[in-house]
Amino acid sequence: MTETSHPPVRDDQETSGSALPAIELTGVMKEYHAHGEKVAAVRGIDLAIGQGEFFSLLGPSGCGKTTTMRMIAGFEEPTGGEVLLNGKPVTDVPANKRDVNMVFQSYALFPHMSVFENVAFGLRRKGVAKDEIRRRVAAMLDIVDLAGREKRRPGELSGGQQQRVALARALVNRPRALLLDEPLGALDLKLRQHMQVELKRIQREVGITFVYVTHDQSEALTMSDRIAVMNDGRIEQLGSPREIYERPASKFVAGFIGTSNLLAGEIGEVRDTEAFITYGGDGQIVVPLDGRTAAPGDRLELTVRPEKIEIATQPPGGNGAGSAGGGYSGSRVRAKVAEVVYLGTSTNYIVTTAAGDEVTVFLQNATNADDIAGRGDDVWLSWEPRHSYAIGAS
Amino acid sequence: MRRLRGALTPYLLMLPAGLWLLVFFAIPLVYMASVSLMTGNLIDGWKLTWHWQNYTEGLDVYGDKLLRSLWYGLIATVACIVLAYPAAYWIAFKGGRHKSTWLFLLLLPFFVSFVLRTISWKLVLTDNGPILGPLKSWGLLPDGFHVLDSGFAVISGLTYNFLPFMVLPIYVALERIDYRTIEAAYDLYAGRVEVFRRVVLPLSLPGVFAGVIMTFVPVTSDYVNAQVLGGPGNTMIGNVIQAEYFTNSNYHTASALSFTLMALLLIGIFAYARALGTKDVLEAAGR
């Protein structure tokens, strides 16, 4: 239903030359035995992650994203399916023989070693020559902006610095892919936003495939080339941030990514490729059908993002209020303001529609100096047909 | 007033323990130190004469016993490490949900009195006892073979009796290791041996260090094991001190020997701390 965009293939890095995906999962499953019961953490995942791609596994806790990553790293063995790195099956290869490195959620730095020794650890195990170790560690510490702190212990560094040591410790080995398990989770908001930009910069600089596990949808949207939204051990949707945000494939995705208004109604009329829902008395919602079949009388669920909705005290399209053939051809819904939340750059209106649904509207505070409406006021919501997005099979 | 009370609180909290230590540790220590410099006997009484010869005479007569104690202490401590480390490792990493059960089983024998346990060893290891008796009658051991009255028996008893003081601190240190650091080491191409050598062992060394202090000191000054399991050739300095004090009433000699032992132990522990307790040693192990 949702088409999958092709992973961007970079040709400016040393690992390329083949068009093979950096990481491939085919039918990967993981079941645990807990208290005599079988618990499925991952229920069959097919995935191909391209060379140099910034790929995110996004989902709520317990959705299987961390287990999936640990199977790629080699810490967990799949109970079904196959893991391939650069086209080679590695399902039976232990973690210390896989050419991928991991950045752990709590960094897992070696507390008894200096920053230099932490970063040098992988190179020493690979038997890299001493001079080269010194050179590569220094270069990597430069990239993560930690030059001059080689002799410090992890315990003497701030959270953000420890995070960058963890990153350097993994990247210095020039792995095929870098796996990051909620690496920014322990940082405060400001530092997290700074590190998001940093991570993206570093990824561009080194050109290595990043697989990023997070439950933070804004983090995934900001940084990723593609996102796999996971729920209950399965991939719900795979696509670019824009696809996932604008065209959620399921109610779950719509609800998990950003703020989403979920509306439903019975189709009154189907014209060309659009369905018309009569909503809350004299309102209507126009939904593009995108190739799905629907007939009058069918129930249809749809989402509309809060920033796409206009809010006004007058009905849209002049004074033709009430009739479906009014001056406005888009969706228009009567509502009452329940709450106004001023957020500085924008204002949030939380309104209750004539049909009783709660809808959130974001309004940029660009021109309007005052609030359009106050609590308890009657308003009209309107949005263009293309901003309604039908979801799931209803 | 409130501020004053706030400032005094830490001192008030320290007061009970401080008083306890003053009355039962500091005062007796100073008193024993003065006794170690006295001369006299039971009939005439004792007088503080600053008789430093008590120390040199003690060393002259009992120096070999002192050395033997340090030697036994060293061997028993090393034996404790060798036995305790794998057990603690296994419980900490493979014990799963039953960690506390395994620890409890390990400590169970130590709910029985120290002396009783040592005496039961004597019963088990006696020349024609339940172990040596059958082995001898089957001809597997020569008739004259014996375990008791030997340094081996004393060191074995010491090792057994002080094992938990080694297991517990090592277990605590291993248990505190973040398992993800171990995974990180695997992730960074280390094999099992290297993970142990570079990460697990250095991170558990503080536990070994604590265990050594907690076993070496009491083992070296112990006298029960040598008395019960050893013979005349295995006397330790603890036995000498006990005999001089309670049997011979040579209080000054007993005190002088006690202080000599204490000084040697302190020097040994500090040297050990200097050699092993620094950050650089741990880092060198990780490199």
Side-chain angles (χ1 to χ4, degrees), chain A residues 29 51 69 137 211 347 354:
Chain A
M29 288 197 282
Q51 304 282 359
M69 162 168 287
V137 171
V211 181
T347 305

Side-chain angles (χ1 to χ4, degrees), chain A residues 52 93 107 264 299 314 335 381:
Chain A
V93 178
Y107 319 139
R299 207 178 135 76
Q314 295 299 312
L381 310 180

Side-chain angles (χ1 to χ4, degrees), chain B residues 5-20:
Chain B
R5 217 167 52 198
L8 282 178
T9 305
Y11 300 101
L12 288 174
L13 288 172
M14 270 170 56
L15 198 61
L19 273 178
W20 183 273

Side-chain angles (χ1 to χ4, degrees), chain A residues 126-137:
Chain A
K126 285 206 285 195
V128 175
K130 276 201 173 125
D131 298 0
E132 204 194 330
I133 291 181
R134 211 169 307 129
R135 201 172 46 72
R136 272 167 75 173
V137 171

